[in-house]
Amino acid sequence: MSEDDDNYDEEIEESEAPSEWLTTLADMSMLLMSFFIMLFSMSSLDVKKFSESFTSVKTALGVKDKAVTMAPISTGDMNVLVEQAKLKQRIIGEQRRVYDQFRTYVSSKGLDGVVAATLEAGKITIGFPAGVLFPKDGVDLTEEGKGKLRTLFDFLIKAAGERINIRGFTDNEPPGAGSRYRDNWEISSLRAVAVLRYMVSLGMPPNRLTATGLADLEPLYPNDTPEHRARNQRVEFVLERWIGD
């Protein structure tokens, strides 16, 4: 058999090989289409449109009533879904308002470049570098740190609808040989608790606060330079909308 015949056979085999990536792409496209149909129906908050969209999704996915038995969605269940969607939209809108107010507040207090704030999935995260609040390798608030927390307190005490999780972080370097702390878990936890206690001493209701130590988990940057390690050492305030009594 000649070399040309070998090449031709290889081309035939390649052309006859199943294009599995096309199947995967088609599945992904179908799922994305279904997802956006659901988003559209939920954003309009129309019960009739929601039902029609739900049927469209089943049809697009090839679900047949004879093949798969699906319990019908009652009017009561549909109303619950719609109310949940409304509540989620309201929470996100309120969190956007609080976030915008905080950014304006930070600018008015000259804290730009010191305090970082992000809004994601309805959660507001406010971050302080640990060096602003604590001495190096320490867990007791500095006077400068207390001043920064008093400024933050003045804003948070007015945002009464927010529950606040205070989270402490370190870099990945363990405490030095002469340190009185066992590990970074202890340091990050004690720092979070120190901030919580100070906020309570200023008048924050204790039932609005929790404290968590996360050591070197969830670094913002690789722990490869002194600057990156300093940024990873931080204290965050995670604000979530409080729904309930």
Side-chain angles (χ1 to χ4, degrees):
M1 183 179 293
S2 67
E3 183 178 349
D4 290 338
D5 291 337
D6 289 339
N7 292 338
Y8 179 78
D9 289 341
E10 289 177 1
E11 291 175 0
I12 292 295
E13 290 175 0
E14 290 177 359
S15 64
E16 292 178 349
S19 301
E20 296 179 353
W21 67 272
L22 286 175
T23 303
T24 302
L25 179 62
D27 290 342
M28 290 180 61
S29 300
M30 185 66 68
L31 288 173
L32 283 174
M33 182 190 72
S34 304
F35 175 71
F36 284 113
I37 289 174
M38 292 297 293
L39 280 182
F40 177 77
S41 65
M42 295 297 286
S43 63
S44 64
L45 300 174
D46 186 293
V47 174
K48 181 179 179 181
K49 187 174 293 184
F50 183 89
S51 300
E52 293 173 350
S53 298
F54 188 77
T55 303
S56 300
V57 169
K58 290 197 297 181
T59 302
L61 294 176
V63 177
K64 298 180 179 179
D65 292 337
K66 293 183 180 180
V68 179
T69 302
M70 300 183 67
I73 299 179
S74 66
T75 302
D77 290 339
M78 186 67 68
N79 289 336
V80 170
L81 291 174
V82 170
E83 289 304 315
Q84 288 177 344
K86 287 182 179 179
L87 178 61
K88 183 65 175 179
Q89 286 186 336
R90 180 166 62 85
I91 289 174
I92 291 175
E94 290 175 350
Q95 291 298 80
R96 167 61 65 180
R97 177 179 56 80
V98 173
Y99 174 73
D100 291 340
Q101 290 175 346
F102 181 74
R103 287 174 59 87
T104 301
Y105 179 79
V106 166
S107 297
S108 69
K109 297 297 181 179
L111 293 178
D112 290 324
V114 177
V115 180
T118 60
L119 172 63
E120 184 176 357
K123 292 183 180 180
I124 302 171
T125 302
I126 301 169
F128 281 90
V132 173
L133 304 178
F134 297 96
K136 181 175 175 57
D137 299 326
V139 299
D140 296 319
L141 288 164
T142 63
E143 290 304 315
E144 177 189 4
K146 290 179 180 179
K148 296 291 190 299
L149 291 179
R150 284 194 295 270
T151 301
L152 179 61
F153 170 84
D154 290 341
F155 178 86
L156 294 180
I157 194 64
K158 297 176 182 177
E162 305 291 336
R163 270 189 170 148
I164 306 163
N165 179 220
I166 301 168
R167 311 199 306 171
F169 295 90
T170 65
D171 59 27
N172 66 340
E173 290 190 342
S179 175
R180 59 193 177 103
Y181 306 110
R182 177 180 298 181
D183 50 32
N184 284 326
W185 290 103
E186 186 173 7
I187 292 175
S188 62
S189 298
L190 290 174
R191 285 178 173 176
V193 170
V195 172
L196 181 149
R197 287 175 173 165
Y198 187 68
M199 299 297 280
V200 171
S201 74
L202 294 176
M204 184 68 69
N207 64 337
R208 290 185 59 193
L209 301 174
T210 56
T212 308
L214 292 168
D216 60 343
L217 300 180
E218 302 180 27
L220 298 176
Y221 302 90
N223 285 295
D224 53 3
T225 66
E227 292 77 13
H228 285 174
R229 285 192 289 272
R231 293 184 179 184
N232 288 333
Q233 294 196 45
R234 65 196 189 277
V235 173
E236 293 181 348
F237 296 75
V238 181
L239 280 57
E240 293 190 75
R241 199 69 185 172
W242 187 354
I243 302 297
D245 297 333

Coordinates of all heavy atoms in Angstrom, one line a residue, residues 145-180:
G145 N -6.7 51.5 64.5 CA -7.7 50.6 64.1 C -9.0 50.8 64.7 O -10.1 50.7 64.0
K146 N -9.0 51.2 66.0 CA -10.3 51.5 66.6 C -11.0 52.7 66.0 O -12.2 52.7 65.9 CB -10.1 51.7 68.1 CG -9.7 50.5 68.9 CD -9.4 50.8 70.4 CE -9.1 49.6 71.2 NZ -8.8 49.9 72.6
G147 N -10.2 53.7 65.6 CA -10.7 54.8 64.9 C -11.4 54.5 63.6 O -12.5 55.0 63.3
K148 N -10.8 53.6 62.9 CA -11.3 53.2 61.6 C -12.6 52.4 61.8 O -13.6 52.6 61.1 CB -10.4 52.3 60.8 CG -9.1 53.0 60.4 CD -9.3 54.0 59.3 CE -8.0 54.5 58.7 NZ -7.2 55.2 59.7
L149 N -12.7 51.6 62.9 CA -13.9 50.8 63.1 C -15.0 51.7 63.6 O -16.2 51.4 63.4 CB -13.6 49.7 64.2 CG -12.7 48.6 63.7 CD1 -12.4 47.6 64.8 CD2 -13.3 47.8 62.5
R150 N -14.7 52.7 64.4 CA -15.7 53.7 64.8 C -16.4 54.3 63.6 O -17.6 54.5 63.6 CB -15.2 54.7 65.8 CG -14.9 54.2 67.2 CD -14.7 55.3 68.1 NE -13.4 56.1 67.8 CZ -12.2 55.8 68.3 NH1 -12.1 54.8 69.1 NH2 -11.2 56.6 67.9
T151 N -15.6 54.7 62.6 CA -16.1 55.3 61.4 C -17.0 54.3 60.7 O -18.1 54.6 60.2 CB -15.0 55.7 60.4 OG1 -14.1 56.6 61.1 CG2 -15.5 56.3 59.2
L152 N -16.6 53.0 60.6 CA -17.4 52.0 60.0 C -18.7 51.8 60.8 O -19.8 51.6 60.2 CB -16.7 50.7 59.8 CG -17.4 49.5 59.2 CD1 -17.9 49.8 57.8 CD2 -16.6 48.2 59.3
F153 N -18.6 51.8 62.1 CA -19.7 51.5 63.0 C -20.8 52.6 62.7 O -22.0 52.2 62.7 CB -19.3 51.6 64.4 CG -20.4 51.6 65.4 CD1 -21.1 50.5 65.8 CD2 -20.9 52.8 65.9 CE1 -22.1 50.5 66.7 CE2 -22.0 52.9 66.8 CZ -22.6 51.7 67.2
D154 N -20.4 53.8 62.5 CA -21.4 54.9 62.3 C -22.3 54.6 61.1 O -23.4 55.0 61.0 CB -20.7 56.2 62.2 CG -20.1 56.7 63.5 OD1 -20.5 56.2 64.5 OD2 -19.2 57.6 63.4
F155 N -21.7 53.9 60.1 CA -22.5 53.6 58.9 C -23.3 52.3 59.2 O -24.5 52.3 58.9 CB -21.6 53.4 57.7 CG -22.4 52.9 56.5 CD1 -22.9 53.9 55.7 CD2 -22.5 51.6 56.2 CE1 -23.6 53.5 54.5 CE2 -23.2 51.2 55.1 CZ -23.8 52.2 54.2
L156 N -22.7 51.3 59.8 CA -23.4 50.0 59.9 C -24.5 50.1 60.9 O -25.5 49.4 60.7 CB -22.4 48.9 60.4 CG -21.3 48.6 59.4 CD1 -20.4 47.5 60.0 CD2 -21.9 48.1 58.1
I157 N -24.4 50.9 61.9 CA -25.5 51.0 62.9 C -26.8 51.5 62.3 O -27.9 51.1 62.7 CB -25.1 51.8 64.1 CG1 -26.0 51.6 65.3 CG2 -25.0 53.3 63.7 CD1 -26.0 50.2 65.9
K158 N -26.7 52.3 61.2 CA -27.8 52.8 60.5 C -28.4 51.8 59.5 O -29.6 51.9 59.1 CB -27.5 54.1 59.9 CG -27.1 55.2 60.8 CD -26.7 56.5 60.1 CE -26.2 57.5 61.1 NZ -25.7 58.8 60.3
A159 N -27.6 50.9 59.1 CA -28.0 49.8 58.1 C -28.6 48.7 58.9 O -28.0 47.6 59.0 CB -26.8 49.4 57.2
A160 N -29.7 48.9 59.6 CA -30.2 48.0 60.6 C -30.7 46.6 59.9 O -30.8 45.6 60.6 CB -31.4 48.6 61.3
G161 N -30.9 46.6 58.6 CA -31.4 45.4 58.0 C -30.3 44.4 57.6 O -30.5 43.4 56.9
E162 N -29.0 44.7 58.0 CA -27.9 43.9 57.7 C -27.4 43.0 58.8 O -27.2 43.5 59.9 CB -26.7 44.7 57.1 CG -27.1 45.7 56.0 CD -27.4 45.0 54.7 OE1 -26.9 43.8 54.5 OE2 -28.1 45.6 53.9
R163 N -27.2 41.7 58.5 CA -26.5 40.9 59.4 C -25.0 40.8 59.0 O -24.8 40.8 57.8 CB -27.1 39.5 59.5 CG -28.1 39.3 60.5 CD -28.5 37.9 60.7 NE -29.4 37.7 61.9 CZ -30.4 36.8 62.0 NH1 -30.6 36.0 61.0 NH2 -31.1 36.7 63.1
I164 N -24.1 40.8 59.9 CA -22.7 41.0 59.6 C -21.8 39.8 60.1 O -21.8 39.5 61.3 CB -22.2 42.3 60.2 CG1 -23.1 43.5 59.8 CG2 -20.7 42.6 59.8 CD1 -22.9 44.7 60.7
N165 N -21.1 39.2 59.2 CA -20.2 38.2 59.5 C -18.8 38.8 59.4 O -18.4 39.2 58.3 CB -20.3 37.0 58.6 CG -19.3 35.9 58.9 OD1 -18.7 35.2 58.0 ND2 -19.0 35.6 60.2
I166 N -18.1 38.8 60.5 CA -16.7 39.4 60.5 C -15.7 38.2 60.3 O -15.7 37.3 61.1 CB -16.4 40.1 61.9 CG1 -17.5 41.2 62.1 CG2 -15.0 40.7 61.9 CD1 -17.4 41.8 63.5
R167 N -14.9 38.3 59.3 CA -14.0 37.2 58.9 C -12.6 37.7 59.0 O -12.2 38.7 58.4 CB -14.4 36.7 57.5 CG -15.9 36.5 57.3 CD -16.1 35.6 56.1 NE -15.5 36.0 54.9 CZ -15.5 35.3 53.8 NH1 -16.0 34.1 53.7 NH2 -14.9 35.8 52.7
G168 N -11.8 36.9 59.7 CA -10.3 37.2 59.8 C -9.5 36.3 58.9 O -9.8 35.1 58.7
F169 N -8.5 36.9 58.2 CA -7.6 36.1 57.3 C -6.1 36.5 57.6 O -5.8 37.6 58.1 CB -7.9 36.5 55.8 CG -9.3 36.2 55.3 CD1 -10.3 37.0 55.5 CD2 -9.5 34.9 54.8 CE1 -11.6 36.7 55.0 CE2 -10.8 34.6 54.3 CZ -11.8 35.5 54.4
T170 N -5.3 35.5 57.3 CA -3.8 35.7 57.4 C -3.2 35.3 56.1 O -3.9 34.9 55.2 CB -3.2 34.8 58.5 OG1 -3.4 33.4 58.2 CG2 -3.9 35.1 59.9
D171 N -1.9 35.4 56.0 CA -1.2 34.8 54.9 C -0.8 33.4 55.2 O -1.3 32.9 56.2 CB 0.0 35.7 54.5 CG 1.0 35.8 55.6 OD1 1.1 34.9 56.5 OD2 1.8 36.8 55.7
N172 N 0.0 32.8 54.4 CA 0.3 31.4 54.6 C 1.6 31.1 55.4 O 2.0 30.0 55.6 CB 0.4 30.7 53.3 CG 1.6 31.1 52.5 OD1 2.2 32.2 52.7 ND2 2.1 30.3 51.5
E173 N 2.2 32.2 56.0 CA 3.4 32.0 56.8 C 2.9 31.7 58.2 O 2.1 32.5 58.8 CB 4.3 33.2 56.8 CG 5.0 33.4 55.4 CD 6.0 34.5 55.5 OE1 6.0 35.3 56.4 OE2 6.9 34.5 54.6
P174 N 3.4 30.6 58.8 CA 3.0 30.3 60.2 C 3.6 31.3 61.2 O 4.6 32.0 60.9 CB 3.6 28.9 60.4 CG 4.8 28.9 59.5 CD 4.4 29.7 58.3
P175 N 3.0 31.4 62.4 CA 3.6 32.3 63.4 C 5.0 32.0 63.7 O 5.5 30.8 63.6 CB 2.7 32.1 64.6 CG 1.4 31.5 64.1 CD 1.8 30.7 62.9
G176 N 5.8 33.0 64.0 CA 7.2 32.8 64.3 C 7.5 31.9 65.5 O 6.5 31.6 66.3
A177 N 8.7 31.5 65.7 CA 9.0 30.6 66.8 C 8.7 31.2 68.2 O 8.3 30.4 69.1 CB 10.5 30.2 66.7
G178 N 8.8 32.5 68.3 CA 8.6 33.1 69.6 C 7.1 33.5 69.8 O 6.8 34.1 70.9
S179 N 6.2 33.2 68.9 CA 4.8 33.6 69.0 C 4.1 32.8 70.0 O 4.4 31.7 70.2 CB 4.1 33.5 67.6 OG 2.8 33.8 67.7
R180 N 3.2 33.5 70.7 CA 2.4 32.8 71.7 C 1.1 32.2 71.1 O 0.3 31.7 71.8 CB 2.0 33.8 72.8 CG 1.2 35.0 72.4 CD 1.2 36.0 73.6 NE 0.5 37.2 73.2 CZ -0.7 37.6 73.6 NH1 -1.4 36.7 74.3 NH2 -1.3 38.7 73.3

